[in-house]
Amino acid sequence: MKPAPLLVLCALGPEVWALRGGDWRGSAGGPPVLVRTGVGRRRASLTVRRLLTAAPGGYGAVVVAGFGAAVAPGVTPGDVIVADGVRDAEGNHFAVDSGPTLTRALRERGLTAHTGVHHTADHVVRGLERRALHLQGALAVDMEAAAVLAALRELRPALPAAVLRVVVDTPERELLRPGTLPAGVRAWRTLRATVPALVDWHHRNRQDRDRPSPGTLNHPTPSTLPQEAS
């Protein structure tokens, strides 16, 4: 059976532009489906639900990718923060099993990558609120990922998913301060550079799903075809 392509969701046009220009050669299922959702949970939820309903088996995995903010000290613009879990303001938590594997693939390509919890907020988080989120265990904040994962949990719970954010601003260097523009350019280049790692993760994930479980290796399924009469 032909593999399905990767569905990549971004909030902003520049994020889609960065990823579209990456090296997608060898991607399972061919070129990815890149979609701009718009900013915020409501738009992200409507977009992913529409896509999954229109093509229920049309995607091999889903990636939420783009720019984000770090809430932990010591992270610098251009670093990548990969989610091993995403939570929202209502306290819902979504586990993301792909975190360690994708982080390893990014590091193998020379990128600085961290793994941790992302918090999906309804507004731009600044100042003391960032510190509070970090004390609650978060490394990054975005405005869409939890809505996408909630839709997947409801409509396609078995579909593999990954979430990554390239850091534009940090607690030490918040948005709208001098230096944000250079940080944004660096983040844009880094986001494009994540593409080969996404291709590798998608390929490995598909291999793992296609590999038979140990319990079935030496126990072939009995044939349901009618036996030839002797």
Side-chain angles (χ1 to χ4, degrees):
M1 189 167 111
K2 184 179 179 181
L6 192 63
L7 173 61
V8 183
L9 302 171
C10 304
L12 304 172
E15 297 167 336
V16 174
W17 180 29
L19 289 167
R20 181 174 289 127
D23 184 2
W24 291 100
R25 288 176 298 177
S27 181
V33 178
L34 288 159
V35 177
R36 180 177 67 86
T37 66
V39 175
R41 289 198 291 177
R42 180 178 176 277
R43 291 175 177 174
S45 179
L46 289 173
T47 300
V48 71
R49 288 173 186 276
R50 172 177 55 81
L51 291 168
L52 295 179
T53 302
Y59 310 107
V62 174
V63 173
V64 182
F67 308 131
V71 297
V75 179
T76 61
D79 288 4
V80 186
I81 302 181
V82 182
D84 59 6
V86 175
R87 70 186 187 210
D88 61 23
E90 291 74 38
N92 299 304
H93 182 87
F94 305 90
V96 185
D97 296 338
S98 59
T101 303
L102 181 53
T103 299
R104 183 165 59 251
L106 290 163
R107 289 173 177 169
E108 287 172 354
R109 284 156 180 79
L111 298 176
T112 301
H114 313 268
T115 309
V117 172
H118 290 211
H119 178 89
T120 297
D122 291 323
H123 57 278
V124 176
V125 175
R126 294 191 175 94
L128 293 177
E129 190 176 1
R130 288 197 190 201
R131 176 173 172 78
L133 290 176
H134 176 52
L135 292 175
Q136 295 166 15
L139 288 188
V141 62
D142 69 26
M143 297 178 69
E144 295 82 27
V148 172
L149 296 177
L152 290 178
R153 177 182 286 181
E154 178 182 337
L155 300 175
R156 292 289 307 280
L159 194 63
V163 178
L164 69 83
R165 297 292 177 183
V166 178
V167 175
V168 175
D169 64 319
T170 69
E172 296 85 5
R173 296 181 180 179
E174 292 194 350
L175 281 171
L176 306 180
R177 290 189 177 184
T180 299
L181 181 58
V185 172
R186 180 179 179 185
W188 189 89
R189 291 173 177 166
T190 301
L191 184 58
R192 176 167 287 187
T194 66
V195 168
L198 291 173
V199 170
D200 185 55
W201 168 74
H202 185 32
H203 182 67
R204 290 182 185 179
N205 182 74
R206 183 171 178 272
Q207 284 184 322
D208 290 342
R209 285 197 295 165
D210 291 345
R211 186 178 297 120
S213 62
T216 62
L217 288 176
N218 299 315
H219 301 282
T221 303
S223 174
T224 58
L225 296 174
Q227 297 299 312
E228 182 177 292
S230 56

